[in-house]
Each structure stands twice: as C-alpha cells, then as structure tokens.
C-alpha cells in the first residue's frame, strides 16, 4: 500500500480548518471578540473594525487534528512517519516543536485577550512579551540539546559540531533566531491573507525539503501547516471574515521555526522566510531612522503598509510578496536538491 501520509495531513488540515470557520467565527462574533483598528494605521483599515479576531485557533485545531489522523493512517499502512516516531530523537524534535509553537500561540492569545477583552489596545507590554518569548525559545533549545542535537547543517560548508568550541555560538544565535522569526511572522500579519499565504509557500517548500531528506515527521508537519493555511485563507482572503490575531500568527511563527530546526537546517529559513525577514527589518530600520533623524524611512512600517501607502491593493501585495517568497524558497531548496 502506498504511503499517502502527507496528502492525508494536508487534506484533513484543510477540511478541519475550513470547517471550523462555520463554528468559530459566529462564536467569536457572539463574544464580540472584534479587532480594534489603531488610528496610526492606514485610514481605509477602519473598515475592518470589529472583524472577529483570534481565528488562529482554527489553524491550530486543523494542524493538531490532522497530525493525529496522519499518524494513525501511517501506523495502519506501516508508513515512514509512524516508523520514525519510534526514534526517540525524531519524536522529541517533532513534539517539542509543536509544544513550542503552542506556547508561542499562548503568548499571542494573552496579547489578544488583553486587547479585545480588557480593552487595552497594546496588549502585553514589549518587555512582558519579549521575556515570555525568550523563555519559550530557550526551553525549546534546551529540549533539542537534551534530545541529542549535536550538529547543524550549513549549505556549502556541511555539518557543524555545536557541542564545543565556536560551535557553541549556535545556541545564543539560535535563541535570537527563534525569537526574531516568530515576531517577524507576527509583523507579516497586517493585511488580509498575507501571513497565511506567505506561510503556505514556506510550508510547501519545507514539505519538499523534508521529502528530499526522508524526514517524514517534518514532512507531515509541513503538509499539515500548508493545508491549514489554505483552509484559513478561505476565510481570511480580502475581504477577511476573520483575523488570525497574535494567537494565530505566533503559532505560525513557532511552526515555521520548528519545521526549519526539524530538518536540521534552520539556516534555510533565512532564504525561505525572506519575506518575514524583510518585514521585520523594515520595522527595525523605521524605528532606528526615526529616532536619529525624526523622519520616516518608509511611508509606514512594516513593509506591506509602505506599499499600501504607495497605492498598492492588498491583493497585489499578497501576490507580489508571495511570489517573492517563492523565489526565496527556491534558493533555499537548491542546496538540498543538488546536495550542496
């Protein structure tokens, strides 16, 4: 019997996420969990005021349920995914990655809850959010180290020992890498369909990468994330009927980081996640430039808002940014395909 585990994971994640929209969105409306649009944003975003937020729970439900179904299917057909879960290291990497993404989502949920229920527009303070995110990131890295992670692969260089000498620098760099990319995905979630579409592209790229590397656990995880993103796009494409909120964007950030570490090649996310990186960089540059000159480097940050202010439609931004992500993902895949 052929092993269709990734297909099962993607299909179930899509169906569950899309189906949850019929239950979650009306429930969020009844709770009056609507998005508050800040005055500092583009004026036309005021039309989005009151759109239900925290819809990221749909993505989480889709991913988790689909992985359970995918594992059960793989166990029945004696597929590679189920077989890999007998390897303590691969099981630990998969589970710790999912737990890390859920913890990041929990931080996002707290932020959303404070904004929506407590009516504090800024949510958690920057210091509170940073502390919690670094704590989760450190715990995740500790779990990888305790599981036996001792190398990381860098294209054109090879495997690097991260247990001694200069290799120990991997851990503090990885800490900031996880923190940075999780927040970068969060920043990308600023217009209808952007974060979910870009993450769909990234998930598909890592699905291909993990397939070439015969890592079926990460392959199923990537497929589940891709399917969930498609299911959510049905509700989040312009005009959005629901926003994922920090609950969803922080989960997406945790997932793409976990998947990149799961392949043993987190450095590839620098290319596959180039859109996330540029979104975060634009925000950092904007703040630094304004502090020094009292002038704005961009019309508005992050980068997608700059293009909005230049007259681009939300649909055009999603299309162009996703296309740019495809290019970055292609570059990331080349070393794996050609075994560099």
């Amino acid at each position: 019997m052929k092993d269709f585990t990734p297909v099962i994971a993607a299909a179930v994640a899509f169906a569950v996420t899309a189906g949850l929209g019929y239950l979650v969105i009306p429930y969020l409306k009844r709770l009056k969990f609507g998005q508050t649009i800040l005055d500092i944003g583009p004026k036309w975003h005021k039309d989005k005021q009151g759109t239900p937020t925290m819809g990221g729970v749909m993505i989480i439900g889709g991913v988790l349920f689909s992985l359970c179904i995918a594992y059960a299917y793989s166990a029945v057909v004696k597929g590679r995914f189920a077989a890999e879960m007998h390897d303590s290291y691969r099981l630990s990497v998969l589970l710790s990655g999912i737990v890390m993404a859920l913890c990041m989502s929990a931080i996002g949920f707290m932020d959303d809850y404070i904004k929506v229920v407590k009516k504090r527009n800024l949510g958690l303070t920057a210091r509170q959010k940073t502390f919690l995110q670094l704590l989760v990131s450190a715990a995740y890295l500790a779990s990888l180290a305790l599981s036996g992670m001792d190398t990381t692969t860098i294209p054109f260089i090879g495997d690097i020992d991260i247990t001694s000498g200069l290799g120990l620098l991997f851990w503090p760099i990885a800490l900031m890498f996880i923190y940075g990319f999780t927040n970068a995905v969060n920043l990308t979630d600023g217009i209808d369909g952007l974060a979910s579409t870009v993450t769909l592209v990234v998930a598909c790229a890592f699905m291909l990468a993990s397939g070439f590397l015969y890592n079926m656990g990460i392959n199923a995880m990537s497929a589940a994330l891709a399917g969930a993103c498609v299911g959510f796009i049905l509700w989040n494409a312009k005009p959005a009927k629901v926003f994922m909120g920090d609950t969803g964007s922080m989960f997406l950030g945790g997932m793409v980081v976990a998947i990149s570490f799961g392949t043993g090649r987190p450095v590839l996310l620098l290319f596959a996640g180039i859109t996330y990186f540029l979104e975060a960089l634009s925000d950092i540059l904007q703040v630094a430039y304004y502090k020094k000159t009292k002038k704005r480097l961009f019309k508005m940050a992050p980068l997608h808002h700059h293009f909005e202010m230049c007259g681009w439609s939300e649909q055009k931004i999603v299309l162009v940014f996703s296309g740019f992500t495809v290019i970055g993902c292609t570059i990331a895949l080349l070393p794996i395909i050609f075994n560099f």
Side-chain angles (χ1 to χ4, degrees):
M1 184 181 293
K2 291 185 177 180
D3 189 347
F4 293 103
T5 300
V7 178
I8 298 292
V12 172
F14 165 75
V16 171
T17 304
L20 281 174
Y22 292 101
L23 301 175
V24 171
I25 295 174
Y27 183 66
L28 291 173
K29 286 181 177 178
R30 285 198 300 272
L31 292 176
K32 297 183 179 179
F33 280 10
Q35 180 74 36
T36 299
I37 305 299
L38 301 179
D39 291 332
I40 59 174
K43 291 182 177 59
W44 50 90
H45 279 205
K46 281 294 182 181
D47 294 339
K48 305 173 188 282
Q49 184 84 20
T51 301
T53 189
M54 297 193 198
V57 295
M58 296 157 55
I59 299 173
I60 297 170
V63 169
L64 296 182
F65 186 76
S66 69
L67 284 175
C68 291
I69 296 298
Y71 175 79
Y73 167 81
S74 185
V76 169
V77 301
K78 295 181 172 54
R80 196 176 177 93
F81 177 26
E84 282 184 2
M85 294 304 98
H86 293 291
D87 182 315
S88 60
Y89 175 72
R90 292 205 171 186
L91 176 62
S92 179
V93 169
L94 184 80
L95 292 180
S96 62
I98 293 171
V99 170
M100 182 268 289
L102 288 172
C103 288
M104 290 295 188
S105 178
I107 297 170
F109 176 81
M110 285 189 283
D111 201 40
D112 285 335
Y113 185 83
I114 292 170
K115 290 175 185 175
V116 174
V117 179
K118 300 297 183 181
K119 306 300 180 182
R120 280 169 42 194
N121 285 348
L122 297 179
L124 291 170
T125 66
R127 183 174 297 180
Q128 290 169 337
K129 191 182 291 187
T130 297
F131 171 76
L132 291 171
Q133 289 172 337
L134 289 176
L135 184 64
V136 170
S137 301
Y140 172 61
L141 289 174
S143 72
L144 294 181
L146 291 172
S147 298
M149 182 177 179
D150 55 9
T151 62
T152 188
T153 303
I154 299 178
F156 303 103
I157 296 177
D159 292 342
I160 305 296
D161 181 0
I162 57 177
T163 62
S164 61
L166 289 176
L168 290 172
L169 290 174
F170 168 82
W171 301 105
I173 292 172
L175 181 69
M176 299 313 299
F177 182 92
I178 297 169
Y179 170 77
F181 264 102
T182 303
N183 281 290
V185 176
N186 188 15
L187 286 170
T188 305
D189 181 37
I191 59 176
D192 298 356
L194 181 59
S196 46
T197 305
V198 169
T199 302
L200 166 62
V201 176
V202 174
C204 287
F206 276 105
M207 186 165 57
L208 288 172
S210 54
F212 277 107
L213 296 169
Y214 298 102
N215 189 330
M216 294 302 106
I218 299 302
N219 190 253
M221 197 170 167
S222 302
L225 182 60
C229 284
V230 176
F232 189 74
I233 289 169
L234 293 181
W235 298 101
N236 186 236
K238 188 175 179 64
K241 297 176 180 63
V242 68
F243 297 138
M244 67 175 69
D246 286 2
T247 303
S249 61
M250 296 286 283
F251 179 75
L252 293 186
M255 283 291 289
V256 295
V257 166
I259 287 168
S260 69
F261 274 83
T263 63
R265 293 161 171 77
V267 69
L268 296 182
L269 189 56
L270 291 173
F271 301 97
I274 186 64
T275 298
Y276 305 139
F277 178 79
L278 292 178
E279 290 273 44
L281 182 63
S282 68
D283 206 49
I284 294 169
L285 291 175
Q286 182 84 320
V287 172
Y289 189 76
Y290 185 79
K291 283 184 177 179
K292 187 173 183 179
T293 66
K294 301 303 177 185
K295 296 179 181 178
R296 299 182 186 276
L297 185 61
F298 302 99
K299 291 185 177 182
M300 189 175 177
L303 197 57
H304 57 264
H305 285 322
H306 170 78
F307 286 105
E308 269 195 290
M309 301 296 279
C310 290
W312 286 26
S313 67
E314 292 188 42
Q315 295 95 325
K316 181 177 179 180
I317 294 170
V318 171
L319 180 63
V320 172
F321 279 38
S322 298
F324 191 69
T325 304
V326 169
I327 296 172
C329 287
T330 302
I331 294 172
L333 285 170
L334 289 177
I336 294 176
I337 295 173
F338 295 103
N339 198 27
F340 290 156

